[in-house]
Amino acid sequence: MLLKLLRTVLRPYKGAIYLVLILQAINAVTTLYLPTLNADIIDNGVSQGDTAYIWRTGGVMLAVSLGQVICAIVTTFYAARTAMSFGRDVRDRVFAQVQTFSAREVARFGAPSLITRTTNDVQQIQMLVLMGLAILISAPMIGIGGVIMALRHDVALSGLLLVIIPVLAVLLGLVMRTMSPLFRGVQETTDSVNRVLREQITGVRVIRAFVRDRFEAERFDTVNTRLRGLNIRVGRLFSLMFPVVMLVMNLSSVAVLWFGGHRVGAGAMEPGSLVAFIAYLMQILMAVMMASMMLFFLPRAQVSADRITKVLDTQTSVTQAEGALTTLPNPGELAMQGATFRYPRAEEPVLHDVTFQAHPGQTLAIVGGTGSGKTTLLKLIPRLFDATSGAVLVGGADVKDAALQTVWEHIGYVPQTPYLFGGTIASNLRFGNQNANDDELWHALDIAQARGFVEELDGGLEAEVAQGGTNLSGGQRQRLAIARALVRKPSVFLFDDSFSALDFATDAKLRAALGPVTQGATVVIVAQRVSTIMGADQILVLEAGRIVGAGTHRELMKTCPTYSEIVYSQLSEEEVAA
């Protein structure tokens, strides 16, 4: 998965990668050339007392070193630029893919996991790319080149490499094998920490209301301690790796000096060659050590690549057919024909054979007990889910045959829990219609009974809105969400229990103001409050996902026991009779 992701995303940066390869090759050549020049100075300059040769060769060494520095700077620049571009592109791909997901796929991964995959997981692979271009490419060049240069200086002494390199490789391989599953555990536990923390921040009011602070603190401490334990185990392994490398390097140096000293004493080797051989041995072992540094990034990057690829390879269950309709024949028309919906791995469908029809200018109300499927039914209309069987028609066309953007453009959806984005009142209201002017925004606020509190805010339409609208009350958020849908001017309005946070007086004023502006549109209202839907043209009564009654308020009071039970649970007989 890692190689596949790297090949796919790095393809546009071939030029920069080839440049890095060339510069790393030049850098490796200069690095390998310096010990030979040093040996020449010792054997031909110091031993012979030739000062001019020392100055001349030293000048060459300075020039080579300068070239090495320039290559290193340019290499690091392009390596960092490529790695950052890689991270940006992967984040873009993950974000774009998540935007295509239906509610089913989002629920499958979970918001905390998707956030971790888009940030932490991408960062792990990005760091691998940076270290790979800056270090991993040069390591084999210097390692192989160092072996060749060592053989060139003394073949017999090079036999030590046949023992040193395999021992180091085996030790590092064992460390890497142990690290890989630990890194997977680290990433999965990071998901858990994000999930718990997100729940606690979002539900802080509930936690305090039920005095569950200590329980939640212990819950967070559990996952946090597990993450700490995994990171400590990884850190111990990683801290063990460098002492092992240094031990091998130091023992190798002792062995070379021991055997090399005897060869120099026997006249089989020049002193400069021994110095150069030690330098090449250090370069070889340093190359192995640099490559071993990648062990810290490679296992984690492999795990992260698997997690990212799962997101990128997941296809949304809500797809758009080729040649999809870009216009709807009858805007405002809304119908379901035998629509059934079952959640994945659920034993029973949530909705059973739902059939109804609503026309522009009509108000359709949906009422039922908790868990009867009201919200699920509403989510089928804008294709947040797709019906398992049957058909959902918007504007006279099956939503599966129309372009997603076309369906969404005709719908103004106010969810059960209104959500506002960080910004201003105006930016939130223009979310559905970027071209709306201030007069249109104020008109929508008037209808939504929100003008009063918006005028009192510092800045009016430009008043700041915190992420999620947390600096506003529940009723204020709900009214702004309704105003946002009104600014869109859709042909179908979907209100999912959108009046529950309003008092009776505000509810009545809002519904009265809605009438004139929704005359040419179909209005669908899901409500728990009977007074909100009594005047609807058609009321659907849901029970266990089935329609058990359909008609006006008066008709249902006579024919549907479920509806009359709901009504009498909220209103007195005098209020019903009135």
Side-chain angles (χ1 to χ4, degrees):
M1 292 297 182
L2 178 60
L3 288 176
K4 177 185 175 183
L5 186 65
L6 292 174
R7 282 199 304 266
T8 304
V9 181
L10 288 176
R11 189 173 289 118
Y13 306 104
K14 285 182 178 178
I17 293 173
Y18 288 146
L19 177 62
V20 169
L21 281 170
I22 293 170
L23 291 173
Q24 289 284 34
I26 296 172
N27 188 48
V29 169
T30 56
T31 300
L32 293 168
Y33 187 40
L34 288 174
T36 296
L37 289 175
N38 190 39
D40 290 341
I41 287 177
I42 293 172
D43 292 337
N44 301 325
V46 176
S47 298
Q48 304 296 326
D50 191 342
T51 306
Y53 184 85
I54 294 173
W55 278 105
R56 191 165 57 251
T57 307
V60 174
M61 289 183 72
L62 286 174
V64 171
S65 298
L66 180 61
Q68 185 182 29
V69 170
I70 294 172
C71 286
I73 292 172
V74 177
T75 297
T76 302
F77 173 80
Y78 280 100
R81 186 173 181 176
T82 302
M84 298 306 108
S85 299
F86 171 87
R88 177 200 61 197
D89 293 351
V90 175
R91 281 190 295 271
D92 282 345
R93 292 186 182 210
V94 174
F95 179 81
Q97 186 70 6
V98 171
Q99 292 301 300
T100 68
F101 286 173
S102 70
R104 177 181 297 183
E105 285 75 45
V106 173
R108 172 186 158 192
F109 286 103
S113 180
L114 289 173
I115 292 171
T116 304
R117 292 171 200 243
T118 311
T119 53
N120 186 271
D121 284 322
V122 172
Q123 190 175 13
Q124 300 305 324
I125 308 176
Q126 179 179 290
M127 188 59 65
L128 177 74
V129 173
L130 175 61
M131 299 300 291
L133 292 175
I135 294 176
L136 191 60
I137 291 176
S138 63
M141 294 179 181
I142 293 175
I144 295 171
V147 171
I148 294 171
M149 296 301 289
L151 287 169
R152 182 170 171 239
H153 279 276
D154 195 279
V155 176
L157 198 58
S158 299
L160 292 172
L161 299 176
L162 297 175
V163 177
I164 297 168
I165 295 176
V167 168
L168 190 58
V170 168
L171 292 173
L172 294 176
L174 290 173
V175 174
M176 179 179 177
R177 183 178 178 182
T178 309
M179 274 185 170
S180 187
L182 289 177
F183 280 128
R184 184 177 299 277
V186 167
Q187 295 304 100
E188 291 174 352
T189 309
T190 301
D191 280 349
S192 299
V193 171
N194 283 342
R195 184 185 67 253
V196 172
L197 185 59
R198 193 167 184 263
E199 288 177 352
Q200 292 176 353
I201 292 173
T202 306
V204 62
R205 295 176 183 174
V206 178
I207 293 169
R208 291 175 180 173
F210 286 89
V211 197
R212 302 289 286 176
D213 303 69
R214 181 173 296 178
F215 172 81
E216 291 297 328
E218 291 174 355
R219 182 166 164 243
F220 180 78
D221 185 61
T222 299
V223 292
N224 196 32
T225 300
R226 182 166 180 263
L227 181 60
R228 183 195 65 178
L230 287 170
N231 278 317
I232 287 174
R233 290 176 65 185
V234 170
R236 284 173 179 168
L237 283 171
F238 195 65
S239 63
L240 178 66
M241 185 171 61
F242 284 100
V244 167
V245 172
M246 294 304 299
L247 177 64
V248 173
M249 289 178 65
N250 291 329
L251 291 176
S252 302
S253 299
V254 171
V256 169
L257 287 171
W258 175 266
F259 292 105
H262 286 294
R263 290 185 61 76
V264 170
M269 188 179 187
E270 294 292 330
S273 294
L274 177 59
V275 172
F277 189 93
I278 294 173
Y280 285 125
L281 175 64
M282 292 300 104
Q283 286 181 353
I284 294 168
L285 296 180
M286 283 298 295
V288 175
M289 189 172 71
M290 286 192 296
S292 70
M293 287 180 62
M294 300 302 296
L295 298 179
F296 185 75
F297 302 100
L298 186 58
R300 182 173 288 187
Q302 287 174 333
V303 172
S304 296
D306 290 342
R307 287 159 52 85
I308 291 171
T309 304
K310 283 180 182 177
V311 175
L312 296 177
D313 289 347
T314 298
Q315 298 301 315
T316 178
S317 56
V318 176
T319 57
Q320 181 172 298
E322 292 185 12
L325 298 174
T326 55
T327 57
L328 301 181
N330 301 308
E333 292 284 342
L334 181 63
M336 285 192 184
Q337 298 173 351
T340 298
F341 177 76
R342 181 198 302 267
Y343 284 105
R345 296 182 295 277
E347 294 182 1
E348 292 291 331
V350 179
L351 295 173
H352 302 261
D353 194 28
V354 175
T355 300
F356 68 84
Q357 189 168 9
H359 305 286
Q362 289 186 339
T363 297
L364 172 70
I366 303 172
V367 68
T370 303
S372 58
K374 304 184 297 298
T375 296
T376 302
L377 187 153
L378 216 63
K379 288 182 177 180
L380 294 180
I381 298 172
R383 291 196 77 187
L384 299 182
F385 297 111
D386 265 343
T388 308
S389 62
V392 178
L393 289 81
V394 174
D398 192 321
V399 290
K400 293 182 180 179
D401 297 330
L404 289 168
Q405 194 66 35
T406 301
V407 172
W408 296 334
E409 285 174 352
H410 283 76
I411 293 175
Y413 179 49
V414 183
Q416 192 171 17
T417 304
Y419 187 88
L420 300 178
F421 296 88
T424 64
I425 299 288
S427 67
N428 272 278
L429 295 181
R430 289 194 176 100
F431 201 74
N433 182 4
Q434 294 296 319
N435 299 319
N437 57 42
D438 285 358
D439 290 338
E440 291 174 308
L441 300 186
W442 283 116
H443 181 58
L445 290 170
D446 273 330
I447 297 168
Q449 307 303 303
R451 185 182 188 111
F453 81 80
V454 171
E455 286 180 334
E456 294 175 0
L457 294 175
D458 186 18
L461 288 175
E462 298 305 317
E464 183 181 352
V465 177
Q467 181 183 359
T470 53
N471 59 333
L472 300 171
S473 70
Q476 290 173 336
R477 290 197 299 270
Q478 209 154 35
R479 282 177 280 171
L480 288 177
I482 293 170
R484 180 171 59 193
L486 292 169
V487 170
R488 189 175 182 84
K489 298 178 182 178
S491 60
V492 177
F493 285 92
L494 304 178
F495 295 104
D496 186 4
D497 201 13
S498 305
F499 309 102
S500 60
L502 307 180
D503 59 77
F504 284 96
T506 304
D507 183 1
K509 290 178 183 178
L510 197 156
R511 285 186 287 109
L514 273 177
V517 297
T518 59
Q519 285 182 351
T522 301
V523 179
V524 182
I525 300 176
V526 169
Q528 298 285 354
R529 191 184 292 170
V530 172
S531 60
T532 303
I533 52 93
M534 287 174 64
D537 299 293
Q538 183 182 184
I539 301 173
L540 301 181
V541 185
L542 287 182
E543 186 174 7
R546 300 179 188 274
I547 295 179
V548 295
T552 64
H553 168 70
R554 292 187 180 276
E555 292 170 347
L556 290 172
M557 287 298 294
K558 298 175 182 178
T559 61
C560 183
T562 302
Y563 181 74
S564 60
E565 183 181 339
I566 293 172
V567 172
Y568 282 120
S569 70
Q570 299 182 29
L571 304 176
S572 65
E573 292 188 10
E574 291 78 9
E575 290 174 315
V576 173

